[in-house]
Amino acid sequence: MRVMAQMAMVMNLDKCIGCHTCSVTCKQTWTNRAGMEYAWFNNVETRPGQGYPRTYEDQEKWKGGWTRHPNGRLSLKAGGRLKNLATIFANPVMPSIQDYYEPWTYDYRMLTNAPLQEHTPVARPKSLISGKDMRITWSANWDDNLAGGPELATQDPVLRKMSEKVKLEFEQSFMFYLPRICEHCLNPACAAACPSGAIYKRSEDGIVLVDQDKCRGWRKCVTACPYKKIYFNHKTGKAEKCTFCYPRIEVGMPTVCSETCVGRLRYLGLVFYDADKVLEAASVEDEHDLLDAQRDLVLDPNDPEVVRAAESEGISRDWIEAAQRSPIWQLIHRFRVALPLHPEYRTMPMVWYVPPLSPVVDSVAQTGFDGEDGDNLFAAIESLRIPVEYLAELFTAGDPAPVTEALRRLAAMRSYMRDVNLGRENPDASVAEAVGMSVEDVHDMHRLLALAKYEDRYVIPAAHTEQAHRLEAIATGCSLDGEGGPGMGGPGSSGGKVGLGMPRLRPGSKR
């Protein structure tokens, strides 16, 4: 057993209100620079929907992630070394700017400098690529709140797999918000596809980064990433991606998206995993077994054998204690309500999600019954407005059983804690027992998901001073290096000029 540490995140989708604060603060911190106007390290998608870039989940088209051969070996879906070499100068399988969106600004001079006239002047949209007038037809947030629209929903690759089971009539439409960042995978396809070896996974905390000195702009990583969370900076000719805010993590602070999240839905913590079993877990034959295989990779930090193995690998005592207090291990293993995004890509993603339950309470209440009664909730889960089958295609490779288990546990917590909060003398403990939990488990899960304090949501051990020189050496070529400091509001590598002499792109949606 070779124990390694990994910084991981869990997002509680029940709490996401789609305000996009996380996206805007991340944009202002990391990608508000020339050449990155179209890049959103963090974005919030309305599901069902096409996502960003459009239809990124259609791996038959984009060839992201890994594929398993009958002999049990894994290879990149985009092809092996010879195929990559043959297309190294012209990668044919990569989203175009139209699949992202052509970034724009507005000609505000028309408003401020226009002479007195009969009609009000208009600030026309101008392309940040060509500088010419353009017609806005798409953006990173274009289908916000439009999940029920058949023009957009039918383009959802996940929905196509279950079109016979899901109705798209407006009055029966469903939606929820899905925030996304880089998954910082245990088996990253982007790193395997990089011809120059510029993408690497930090051994001390598992964060996946791009060495800007080594990057040659081949863009094979863009194709290989099934989540399409690597972007190409057309000004610098380098690949860039979410850095998990590693300068903040190193001093014990949460990521910017977590810090500014209005709904407090993000949890950050350290987990231990067995590095010797990553390939074995990613290579299991049945896609439905990938969730359990990935769960088994995450080790119990309270197990004395794991603690001894971690110490033998040089992991410090305070990091071990942080892993033992981690909310991530609790949500993944103890409560079993956190699920990975698209495990069938076989990258072993380390950003997990608690599936949304909110609509089931409303749907039960509309029938005239108690929306938080345990019996009613359990019976209604199978007929959620958000179909369990859709959630299963997102989080469990199409297997509805783990999703149903997670939703039943969330429903049990709501039902039991409702009795407690109403002051009933004998809350029904059988509700917890029906989902394989104890009353103590229910209280602890409620405390973590509903009432967690800052220090309970973010358990981040700071890097040690003895590691400072090594970390500094690693960081010098990392991701957002350049004039003005790593994306922290400086002018960037182009001296502050964005596009073709146009004003800086303002982060936002279709407005």
Side-chain angles (χ1 to χ4, degrees):
M1 178 168 56
R2 184 160 61 97
V3 176
M4 296 190 72
Q6 170 75 44
M7 284 304 304
M9 180 184 289
V10 171
M11 302 192 210
N12 184 0
L13 297 184
D14 239 1
K15 290 185 173 183
C16 185
I17 61 175
C19 66
H20 301 273
T21 303
C22 52
S23 298
V24 173
T25 51
C26 175
K27 182 74 177 175
Q28 292 288 66
T29 303
W30 293 108
T31 64
N32 195 13
R33 294 167 291 109
M36 295 296 285
E37 296 88 352
Y38 77 107
W40 296 82
F41 288 172
N42 184 108
N43 69 291
V44 182
E45 299 170 358
T46 297
R47 306 312 302 254
Q50 300 178 69
Y52 182 74
R54 278 187 273 203
T55 68
Y56 72 91
E57 293 161 301
D58 185 356
Q59 302 312 330
E60 295 304 314
K61 177 180 181 181
W62 300 119
K63 308 297 182 184
W66 300 88
T67 185
R68 183 185 185 276
H69 298 287
N71 62 3
R73 293 178 63 88
L74 293 182
S75 66
L76 292 171
K77 191 177 283 288
R81 294 182 179 179
L82 291 178
K83 186 173 181 179
N84 275 332
L85 183 62
T87 58
I88 196 168
F89 294 109
N91 186 356
V93 186
M94 195 174 68
S96 67
I97 195 66
Q98 285 74 30
D99 293 305
Y100 296 100
Y101 68 96
E102 186 172 354
W104 74 88
T105 186
Y106 294 96
D107 189 359
Y108 295 105
R109 291 169 299 183
M110 289 295 295
L111 300 180
T112 58
N113 300 337
L116 185 64
Q117 53 187 289
E118 180 181 355
H119 301 289
T120 303
V122 176
R124 298 188 180 280
K126 298 277 188 178
S127 169
L128 281 171
I129 295 178
S130 66
K132 299 178 180 179
D133 289 350
M134 63 174 288
R135 180 173 176 267
I136 301 171
T137 58
W138 184 256
S139 83
N141 192 28
W142 196 255
D143 54 358
D144 188 25
N145 293 341
L146 296 177
E151 297 84 1
L152 294 175
T154 53
Q155 301 301 315
D156 182 347
V158 176
L159 202 59
R160 289 187 206 141
K161 300 178 182 179
M162 47 182 300
S163 57
E164 296 180 1
K165 297 182 180 180
V166 180
K167 296 181 180 179
L168 291 176
E169 286 83 355
F170 180 76
E171 67 274 9
Q172 296 177 337
S173 64
F174 64 94
M175 61 167 281
F176 62 96
Y177 300 110
L178 181 70
R180 291 203 308 120
I181 64 171
C182 168
E183 299 287 329
H184 295 276
C185 307
L186 299 182
N187 185 34
C190 59
C194 180
S196 55
I199 300 181
Y200 63 98
K201 188 172 180 66
R202 296 211 304 188
S203 59
E204 63 272 14
D205 55 18
I207 296 176
V208 178
L209 297 171
V210 183
D211 186 330
Q212 295 289 279
D213 289 336
K214 291 184 178 180
C215 180
R216 295 294 178 265
W218 301 121
R219 287 170 273 190
K220 291 296 181 180
C221 53
V222 178
T223 300
C225 175
Y227 305 97
K228 293 296 176 278
K229 275 298 174 181
I230 299 186
Y231 300 89
F232 181 72
N233 187 322
H234 61 85
K235 287 291 184 182
T236 63
K238 307 284 187 178
E240 299 190 16
K241 63 179 291 298
C242 161
T243 65
F244 216 73
C245 292
Y246 73 88
R248 296 171 60 92
I249 294 293
E250 288 173 2
V251 295
M253 295 174 64
T255 62
V256 170
C257 59
S258 301
E259 182 85 77
T260 59
C261 176
V262 173
R264 299 182 180 180
L265 59 96
R266 298 179 187 237
Y267 298 80
L268 282 169
L270 195 73
V271 296
F272 293 150
Y273 69 97
D274 187 351
D276 289 336
K277 293 186 177 180
V278 171
L279 182 59
E280 178 185 344
S283 304
V284 296
E285 182 176 0
D286 190 343
E287 289 184 345
H288 290 176
D289 294 333
L290 284 166
L291 171 60
D292 287 336
Q294 187 167 346
R295 273 179 173 159
D296 291 343
L297 279 178
V298 181
L299 303 172
D300 183 355
N302 298 296
D303 185 338
E305 183 180 349
V306 173
V307 172
R308 286 193 297 270
E311 290 175 339
S312 67
E313 294 292 338
I315 298 177
S316 60
R317 188 66 205 178
D318 59 327
W319 277 49
I320 294 174
E321 292 173 355
Q324 292 171 341
R325 294 185 294 111
S326 171
I328 309 301
W329 187 86
Q330 300 277 342
L331 292 169
I332 291 175
H333 260 293
R334 181 183 174 190
F335 305 133
R336 295 176 66 87
V337 294
L339 305 170
L341 182 63
H342 290 299
E344 69 272 19
Y345 298 160
R346 300 181 183 270
T347 60
M348 303 283 111
M350 290 310 292
V351 176
W352 297 55
Y353 295 85
V354 177
L357 180 66
S358 294
V360 71
V361 178
D362 298 334
S363 62
V364 173
Q366 288 172 3
T367 65
F369 294 94
D370 186 348
E372 293 190 352
D373 179 80
D375 293 335
N376 293 336
L377 276 176
F378 290 160
I381 283 175
E382 297 297 333
S383 57
L384 276 169
R385 280 189 74 186
I386 301 177
V388 172
E389 292 87 352
Y390 187 87
L391 297 175
E393 291 291 346
L394 279 176
F395 303 122
T396 58
D399 183 6
V403 178
T404 301
E405 178 194 18
L407 293 175
R408 285 172 60 87
R409 290 185 170 221
L410 294 170
M413 179 191 71
R414 286 193 181 190
S415 180
Y416 182 84
M417 293 307 301
R418 196 274 299 266
D419 288 351
V420 172
N421 293 331
L422 288 178
R424 294 177 179 171
E425 294 184 2
N426 297 307
D428 187 4
S430 65
V431 174
E433 295 169 358
V435 293
M437 299 179 71
S438 66
V439 170
E440 181 185 4
D441 289 336
V442 171
H443 278 279
D444 290 346
M445 186 166 74
H446 178 260
R447 189 176 299 113
L448 183 59
L449 290 179
L451 305 171
K453 297 181 180 179
Y454 187 94
E455 60 270 19
D456 296 325
R457 286 183 285 124
Y458 310 133
V459 182
I460 307 168
H464 281 227
T465 54
E466 64 269 20
Q467 297 176 335
H469 293 297
R470 181 165 58 89
L471 290 173
E472 184 179 0
I474 289 174
T476 53
C478 245
S479 221
L480 301 173
D481 221 2
E483 191 178 336
M488 303 299 288
S493 58
S494 297
K497 295 181 180 179
V498 180
L500 299 178
M502 301 299 296
R504 179 172 278 111
L505 176 71
R506 298 175 182 271
S509 60
K510 57 192 174 187
R511 294 183 295 276

